[in-house]
Amino acid sequence: MRTATIVLVAYFSCVILGAVWRLMPWAIHDAVPDLGALTAAYLGLTARRNVAPAVGGSVVLGYLVDLISGAPPGLIALVLALTSIIARAVQQRIYVRGATMTIAFSAFVSLLAGIVALFVRALYHVPSAAMSIELRHLALVAVATGLIGPIVWRIFRRIDAAYARTHRERDAALEGLAP
Amino acid sequence: MTLRRRLVDWSLAGLLVLLPALVLKASLARGTPSGLDQALLRITAPLEAGVSWVVEGIGGLWNRYVALVGVEAENRELREDNDKLRRQLATTTRKAFDVEALEDLAVVKRRTPADTLGARVIGAPVSPQFRVIRIRIDRGEKDVAPGMPVITGTGPVGRIDRVYGDYADVTLMSDVSSSIEVVIPRTGGRGMLAGLGRPDSYACTIGWLEKQANPTAKVEVGDEVVTSGLGASFPPGLVVGKVSKVARDDGMFQRVEVEPAVDVSRVRAVEVLLAPPPPPDPDAKTKKRSEPAFGGRPL
């Protein structure tokens, strides 16, 4: 239920963000925050015992994002699944707490997802823009994702707290402590 | 967590990674959305449309009614640009009109068998009913003299009445003092065209139009009226106008009204005929024998 709620909230946020970001001036409308990558990373990082629900949630969210973004179905789903697994792998080594760390980790996740996406596109021969444009886009998206990262993580932690079974779990979720 | 459960979990995760990889491969091979894609799009599209509608509505409110910084300055600049462009357009339109009139005059000059002089219309006093009474041209005592005919590409305009300094006034064909020898080509009837001097129209009249013996040769409304070339002023064949009304028919003569072909209110340039056209040579088409010179015959 927890994963489903996070995926649904993330999907609605993606829809709203997509509509809002089109109205942004200058180059900001090119820098759409990578909410999908943030969600996949959060799911991977906070996966309790089983990793499959986190990967499943990432795949579903990625598939929905594929549909609304016009990407070939499966592309973002695959990228988010891999991002989720990578986040699960670093679960015991990274402790995301505090605004600076959250911003930095969000930007890192965005960069990671962007690089994985480039790799997957190259693997499947999906057409891409020139490398300079792709890198500029990656940088802009990383900055935007880093900036909205703390808000998104706060929302996800609230959802986690709502699904906590004990007071201790609830406090741990709100504090951003490892499950 | 036992090893077996861990293995199952990671196997499931691996399958979940494999699934989008296969979907991506299939979608790239297919090129079109699958049935599942279409079904999901049908469900999610209204949500996206609704969100876009709300967000764009709020954005529109903001842009149109709140964030109006710089609009006044932009508006002022646009107004100035608009004024400048209007002035340029007016100048260009006037020049285009002048060019058109001058081209027309060039054609007239080429086909008129007489010495002519181009002139620009610089004034046109109007009646209380907004009809042009006479026109003033930019040719004076050095160039023109009273009585000289004035024409345009469309037809005759009138004659020069007064000349003073560098300007001259032209009495229009519609003036009561004007008279031009005309002929109706269809019937062959000749007459003298005179202006009616009406303040609200340019109508002219032919008071005593010759009627031909043939009863079918009666002048009718719509018949074309041209200059006859008699009187040695206007060259023959210039279209004067059309018969607009047959006012009287008394057996030998008819009295008709003529609507002039030239719209005097739009005339910007005219040609003044400096000398009457040369009379037609009656022997132009016959061979003449030369007279003997010094008593001998030519070879």
Side-chain angles (χ1 to χ4, degrees):
Chain A
M1 264 319 263
R2 165 192 168 265
T3 307
T5 309
I6 288 175
V7 167
L8 269 179
V9 168
Y11 171 67
F12 283 119
S13 305
C14 282
V15 171
I16 293 168
L17 207 68
V20 170
W21 231 254
R22 274 190 293 141
L23 304 175
M24 292 291 173
W26 309 304
I28 300 174
H29 63 81
D30 281 340
V32 186
D34 197 346
L35 262 181
L38 272 185
T39 311
Y42 185 83
L43 286 175
L45 211 61
T46 56
R48 290 184 173 120
R49 286 199 179 87
N50 300 325
V51 71
V55 177
S58 302
V59 168
V60 171
L61 178 63
Y63 184 62
L64 290 171
V65 174
D66 273 329
L67 291 181
I68 60 172
S69 68
L75 177 69
I76 299 176
L78 181 57
V79 170
L80 294 194
L82 293 172
T83 308
S84 174
I85 287 176
I86 293 168
R88 175 70 171 80
V90 299
Q91 187 189 47
Q92 299 301 320
R93 294 167 186 83
I94 291 180
Y95 181 44
V96 184
R97 198 177 179 195
T100 315
M101 185 61 195
T102 311
I103 289 170
F105 185 72
S106 303
F108 167 72
V109 162
S110 162
L111 274 178
L112 179 78
I115 290 165
V116 171
L118 282 178
F119 177 71
V120 171
R121 273 198 245 159
L123 198 70
Y124 283 87
H125 306 292
V126 179
S128 311
M131 191 46 80
S132 59
I133 297 172
E134 289 285 357
L135 290 177
R136 179 177 163 269
H137 186 246
L138 261 184
L140 285 171
V141 171
V143 171
T145 312
L147 288 175
I148 70 151
I151 304 165
V152 177
W153 285 68
R154 187 179 284 260
I155 294 168
F156 288 161
R157 279 174 181 155
R158 290 265 171 201
I159 295 168
D160 264 348
Y163 282 99
R165 282 163 292 191
T166 61
H167 281 291
R168 194 173 166 189
E169 265 186 26
R170 185 177 177 277
D171 290 343
L174 286 175
E175 287 291 318
L177 296 171
Chain B
M1 197 176 184
T2 59
L3 181 67
R4 189 171 162 272
R5 285 189 71 178
R6 191 172 288 179
L7 270 174
V8 170
D9 183 41
W10 277 102
S11 303
L12 201 56
L15 281 175
L16 284 169
V17 172
L18 197 63
L19 182 69
L22 293 173
V23 169
L24 176 60
K25 192 166 185 181
S27 70
L28 287 174
R30 197 173 46 244
T32 52
S34 66
L36 178 65
D37 298 342
Q38 287 178 8
L40 270 172
L41 276 172
R42 219 165 279 146
I43 295 166
T44 54
L47 169 75
E48 290 166 32
V51 170
S52 291
W53 184 75
V54 171
V55 169
E56 280 173 11
I58 294 168
L61 276 177
W62 176 266
N63 287 334
R64 281 197 294 271
Y65 300 108
V66 184
L68 298 175
V69 180
V71 168
E72 193 190 338
E74 191 185 351
N75 190 29
R76 197 169 51 242
E77 274 178 32
L78 288 173
R79 277 177 190 280
E80 282 169 10
D81 282 355
N82 194 23
D83 287 345
K84 199 165 77 182
L85 290 172
R86 275 174 191 275
R87 281 196 297 273
Q88 280 178 0
L89 180 66
T91 310
T92 312
T93 309
R94 201 174 57 242
K95 280 182 180 168
F97 196 77
D98 284 352
V99 167
E100 197 182 329
L102 291 172
E103 279 176 354
D104 197 22
L105 283 189
V107 173
V108 176
K109 195 175 178 72
R110 202 163 52 239
R111 72 175 184 223
T112 306
D115 287 343
T116 59
L117 182 71
R120 201 181 288 271
V121 175
I122 54 165
V126 293
S127 71
Q129 282 80 16
F130 301 103
R131 294 284 165 175
V132 176
I133 302 165
R134 63 179 179 280
I135 58 174
R136 187 166 295 160
I137 59 174
D138 64 346
R139 296 290 182 180
E141 290 163 349
K142 290 177 194 166
D143 307 311
V144 297
M148 286 181 173
V150 177
I151 61 171
T152 67
T154 326
V157 176
R159 287 173 199 273
I160 289 180
D161 179 26
R162 285 187 300 163
V163 184
Y164 43 92
D166 293 333
Y167 309 106
D169 275 352
V170 177
T171 301
L172 301 180
M173 208 166 58
S174 56
D175 196 274
V176 283
S177 63
S178 160
S179 62
I180 301 172
E181 293 272 2
V182 292
V183 63
I184 296 180
R186 191 179 68 80
T187 63
R190 292 172 187 279
M192 185 70 81
L193 183 93
L196 282 169
R198 287 180 186 157
D200 58 347
S201 81
Y202 298 113
C204 302
T205 183
I206 307 173
W208 301 97
L209 185 65
E210 291 175 351
K211 210 169 157 189
Q212 304 299 304
N214 184 357
T216 58
K218 279 171 71 176
V219 174
E220 291 168 1
V221 172
D223 277 345
E224 196 170 60
V225 182
V226 301
T227 52
S228 65
L230 299 175
S233 55
F234 287 95
L238 288 179
V239 178
V240 173
K242 282 186 175 170
V243 173
S244 59
K245 185 180 170 185
V246 178
R248 196 187 66 209
D249 187 345
D250 63 0
M252 282 181 71
F253 297 100
Q254 282 182 299
R255 183 169 167 269
V256 297
E257 280 187 19
V258 177
E259 190 61 36
V262 177
D263 182 1
V264 188
S265 60
R266 292 180 59 81
V267 170
R268 299 289 301 271
V270 294
E271 285 280 344
V272 181
L273 269 67
L274 299 176
D281 181 3
D283 300 326
K285 290 180 182 171
T286 57
K287 273 194 170 179
K288 283 171 72 179
R289 288 188 62 148
S290 300
E291 292 298 317
F294 309 112
R297 304 284 306 172
L299 294 174

